[in-house]
């Protein structure tokens, strides 16, 4: 009898269940005050043992139903239902308690919730923020439903439902069922959810990778721009007085590597009549010509240059075999919205200041007259494009070799007429 009592007790978790079990079997023990049993008493003892075995069989006959439905990704991501119903054969006197245990991490389990007859549903304080529940109770039928909101419980949780009930003569007994055996969740739901989680993580990593690649490409471009811009800096050693390079990594440009120490980005160059400079607004905006001979760099590029620190302008001219220059310490060209307005000052040199009168003027072409004096279109009249101010003291985009004011004039060198190099 003692061995039956010990084995039965080991199947229960808390002190209450140990105590109740022990009380259930105390009446089976001998009351002979250590007196050896007679034959009749021994037969009674054997009979008692057989009764106990029958009791165990009856207890095992009572069952509790446990179902778990898992819906990961939703607010309520799992629902557990534990129910019990007393058999109609009268072997169960009353249902007294339903208890739910978390057996995920331990065989001993942690109690989540329980319902006792005539008492409110109890939920463990450590779970109250993640679990809600309802219970129905009668003497012969009971169910307990828990809804889970914690992802760990919903995906990995394993649970046990335990029923306590009274048999005849108010004897307490227990039976239980584990979700590991009766989990009704379809096999692929959690797998698909985990796959979707991995897909989301993959998408996040892809986005991060894409951003990093974009940043890396930007850094490479900046580095190339820096390296390329360093090709055209004052004091750099070059094998040619005019070196081609990529400005900002993409714009083909020409560097004057020797004049006054070098480092000059050339924005206009005229050596002969190969390229016609009487052009429209779009051409002057984007640039035209041959970078190695005669060209205009483009107003957008010139604006970008002056916006990025290239703020000193040097004009080199040649007339009748003699060289002249004009240098300006402040030089800025606005954007297209401002009509590429000119800001220039700080003249030094030998050619004379033929740009002072053009300071503050907007750029004009024959198809876009931005000269403040509306009585005439200076660009059309003098066959060029410039920062005209009704009209000019300089006209370096005029007609090559013209002897009048339509030529490559520069007041201080030749005016009217044309220089032979600009």
């Amino acid at each position: 009898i003692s061995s039956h009592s010990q084995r039965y007790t080991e199947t229960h978790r808390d002190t209450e269940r140990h105590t109740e079990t022990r009380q259930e079997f105390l009446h089976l023990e001998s009351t002979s005050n250590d007196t050896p049993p007679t034959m009749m008493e021994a037969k009674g003892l054997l009979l008692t043992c057989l009764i106990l075995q029958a009791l165990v069989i009856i207890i095992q006959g009572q069952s509790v139903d446990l179902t778990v439905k898992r819906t990961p990704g939703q607010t309520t991501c799992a629902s557990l239902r534990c129910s019990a119903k007393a058999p109609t054969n009268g072997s169960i006197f009353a249902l007294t308690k339903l208890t739910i245990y978390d057996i995920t991490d331990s065989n001993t389990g942690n109690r989540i919730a329980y319902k006792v007859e005539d008492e409110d549903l109890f939920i463990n304080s450590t779970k109250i923020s993640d679990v809600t529940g309802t219970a129905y109770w009668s003497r012969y039928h009971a169910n307990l439903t828990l809804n889970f909101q914690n992802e760990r419980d919903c995906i990995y949780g394993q649970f046990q439902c335990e029923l306590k009930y009274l048999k005849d003569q108010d004897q307490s007994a227990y039976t239980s069922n584990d979700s590991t055996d009766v989990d009704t969740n379809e096999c692929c739901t959690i797998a698909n959810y985990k796959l979707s989680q991995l897909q989301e993580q993959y998408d996040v990593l892809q986005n991060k990778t894409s951003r990093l690649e974009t940043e890396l490409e930007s850094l490479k471009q900046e580095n190339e721009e820096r390296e390329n811009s360093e090709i055209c800096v004052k004091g750099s050693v070059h094998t040619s007085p005019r070196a081609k390079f990529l400005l900002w990594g993409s714009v083909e440009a020409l560097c004057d590597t020797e004049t006054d120490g070098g480092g000059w980005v050339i924005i206009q160059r005229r050596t002969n009549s190969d390229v016609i400079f009487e052009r429209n607004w779009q051409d002057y905006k984007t640039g035209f010509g041959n970078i190695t001979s005669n060209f205009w760099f483009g107003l957008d590029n010139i604006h970008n240059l002056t916006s990025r620190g290239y703020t000193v302008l040097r004009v080199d001219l040649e007339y009748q075999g003699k060289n002249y220059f004009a240098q300006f310490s402040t030089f800025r060209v606005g954007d297209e919205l401002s009509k590429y307005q000119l800001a220039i000052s700080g003249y030094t040199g030998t050619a004379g200041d033929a740009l002072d009168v053009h300071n503050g003027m907007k750029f004009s072409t024959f198809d876009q007259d931005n000269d403040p004096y509306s009585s005439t279109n200076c660009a059309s009249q003098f066959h060029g494009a410039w920062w005209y101010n009704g009209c000019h003291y300089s006209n370096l985009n005029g007609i090559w070799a013209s002897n009048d004011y339509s030529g490559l004039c520069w007041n201080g060198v030749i005016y009217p007429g044309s220089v032979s190099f600009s």
Side-chain angles (χ1 to χ4, degrees):
I1 299 302
S2 296
S3 64
H4 278 283
S5 177
Q6 180 180 0
R7 182 164 61 254
Y8 190 83
T9 301
E10 287 174 349
T11 65
H12 303 93
R13 297 184 178 83
D14 52 31
T15 304
E16 175 190 3
R17 290 161 63 185
H18 281 270
T19 303
E20 290 173 349
T21 304
R22 187 171 298 278
Q23 289 174 347
E24 290 170 17
F25 294 101
L26 282 178
H27 74 282
L28 299 176
E29 296 179 357
S30 173
T31 57
S32 60
N33 297 323
D34 299 325
T35 303
T38 64
M39 180 63 69
M40 194 66 181
E41 289 171 334
K43 290 181 178 178
L45 190 62
L46 177 60
L47 179 61
T48 303
C49 179
L50 293 174
I51 292 173
L52 174 63
Q53 291 177 347
L55 175 63
V56 172
I57 293 171
I58 291 172
I59 290 173
Q60 291 174 345
Q62 171 62 28
S63 64
V64 59
D65 295 326
L66 174 63
T67 59
V68 179
K69 182 178 181 180
R70 304 178 193 266
T71 54
Q74 299 184 17
T75 302
T76 298
C77 50
S79 180
L80 178 153
R81 189 174 188 272
C82 177
S83 62
K85 185 177 182 180
T88 58
N89 60 12
S91 60
I92 302 301
F93 179 69
L95 309 178
T96 58
K97 185 177 183 180
L98 275 177
T99 306
I100 305 295
Y101 293 94
D102 182 347
I103 59 172
T104 307
D105 300 324
S106 171
N107 290 327
T108 57
N110 298 309
R111 187 169 59 183
I112 300 175
Y114 66 83
K115 176 71 172 79
V116 178
E117 186 179 14
D118 298 329
E119 292 185 13
D120 292 334
L121 172 64
F122 170 84
I123 297 178
N124 193 309
S125 60
T126 62
K127 288 286 190 178
I128 198 70
S129 61
D130 299 324
V131 177
T132 60
T134 58
Y136 167 80
W137 199 273
S138 70
R139 184 171 181 174
Y140 300 108
H141 182 251
N143 67 63
L144 173 56
T145 301
L146 297 182
N147 296 314
F148 295 89
Q149 298 177 353
N150 182 284
E151 189 175 79
R152 173 195 170 278
D153 294 329
C154 297
I155 296 179
Y156 304 105
Q158 300 296 338
F159 309 99
Q160 183 183 81
C161 179
E162 179 187 76
L163 170 66
K164 177 183 177 183
Y165 57 95
L166 293 179
K167 294 183 63 61
D168 294 339
Q169 300 178 358
D170 290 340
Q171 296 175 358
S172 294
Y174 294 87
T175 187
S176 64
N177 209 344
D178 295 350
S179 66
T180 52
D181 300 325
V182 295
D183 192 338
T184 60
N185 178 70
E186 293 184 5
C187 65
C188 299
T189 301
I190 293 178
N192 288 337
Y193 175 71
K194 290 181 178 179
L195 180 62
S196 69
Q197 293 289 86
L198 290 174
Q199 183 64 48
E200 289 179 6
Q201 294 174 17
Y202 174 77
D203 291 341
V204 170
L205 290 175
Q206 280 286 85
N207 290 334
K208 288 183 178 179
T209 301
S210 179
R211 288 197 300 270
L212 288 173
E213 289 177 347
T214 301
E215 292 175 5
L216 178 61
E217 190 63 32
S218 178
L219 289 173
K220 285 182 178 179
Q221 184 174 344
E222 289 179 6
N223 186 56
E224 288 177 359
E225 290 178 6
R226 186 162 47 251
E227 289 178 351
N228 288 326
S229 66
E230 290 174 355
I231 295 174
C232 190
V233 294
K234 192 169 185 175
S236 296
V237 177
H238 294 272
T239 58
S240 171
R242 300 287 184 272
K244 289 196 298 182
F245 71 104
L246 287 179
L247 185 65
W248 311 310
S250 59
V251 179
E252 188 178 41
L254 189 65
C255 180
D256 182 336
T257 63
E258 64 178 11
T259 302
D260 193 23
W264 300 95
V265 179
I266 301 174
I267 61 174
Q268 186 251 35
R269 191 165 190 259
R270 302 192 70 177
T271 62
N272 56 46
S273 60
D274 286 351
V275 176
I276 296 174
F277 274 67
E278 188 176 7
R279 293 178 177 248
N280 62 23
W281 180 265
Q282 183 63 31
D283 285 348
Y284 271 93
K285 168 185 165 66
T286 58
F288 58 86
N290 188 332
I291 196 73
T292 60
S293 58
N294 301 279
F295 69 92
W296 173 259
F297 195 46
L299 289 165
D300 282 341
N301 290 330
I302 297 171
H303 162 70
N304 290 332
L305 277 171
T306 62
S307 299
R308 300 187 187 192
Y310 289 85
T311 56
V312 179
L313 175 69
R314 180 182 172 103
V315 180
D316 284 287
L317 305 169
E318 183 179 327
Y319 179 66
Q320 293 182 346
K322 188 176 180 179
N323 295 324
Y324 301 86
F325 81 94
Q327 189 164 311
F328 301 86
S329 60
T330 299
F331 171 63
R332 295 186 186 280
V333 173
D335 58 14
E336 187 173 16
L337 190 63
S338 73
K339 305 300 182 182
Y340 304 107
Q341 188 174 21
L342 176 67
I344 194 161
S345 61
Y347 164 79
T348 58
T350 60
D353 186 355
L355 286 177
D356 178 64
V357 72
H358 300 279
N359 184 37
M361 296 299 103
K362 299 175 182 179
F363 200 83
S364 291
T365 58
F366 66 78
D367 62 337
Q368 191 164 146
D369 182 13
N370 297 310
D371 190 323
Y373 296 94
S374 58
S375 58
T376 184
N377 185 329
C378 295
S380 294
Q381 183 177 352
F382 297 104
H383 306 285
W386 203 247
W387 294 275
Y388 291 115
N389 184 9
C391 279
H392 66 73
Y393 271 14
S394 56
N395 189 38
L396 296 181
N397 289 331
I399 298 175
W400 179 262
S402 174
N403 291 323
D404 58 21
Y405 291 107
S406 296
L408 278 65
C409 303
W410 185 273
N411 191 6
V413 177
I414 177 66
Y415 189 80
S418 293
V419 297
S420 56
F421 173 84
S422 168

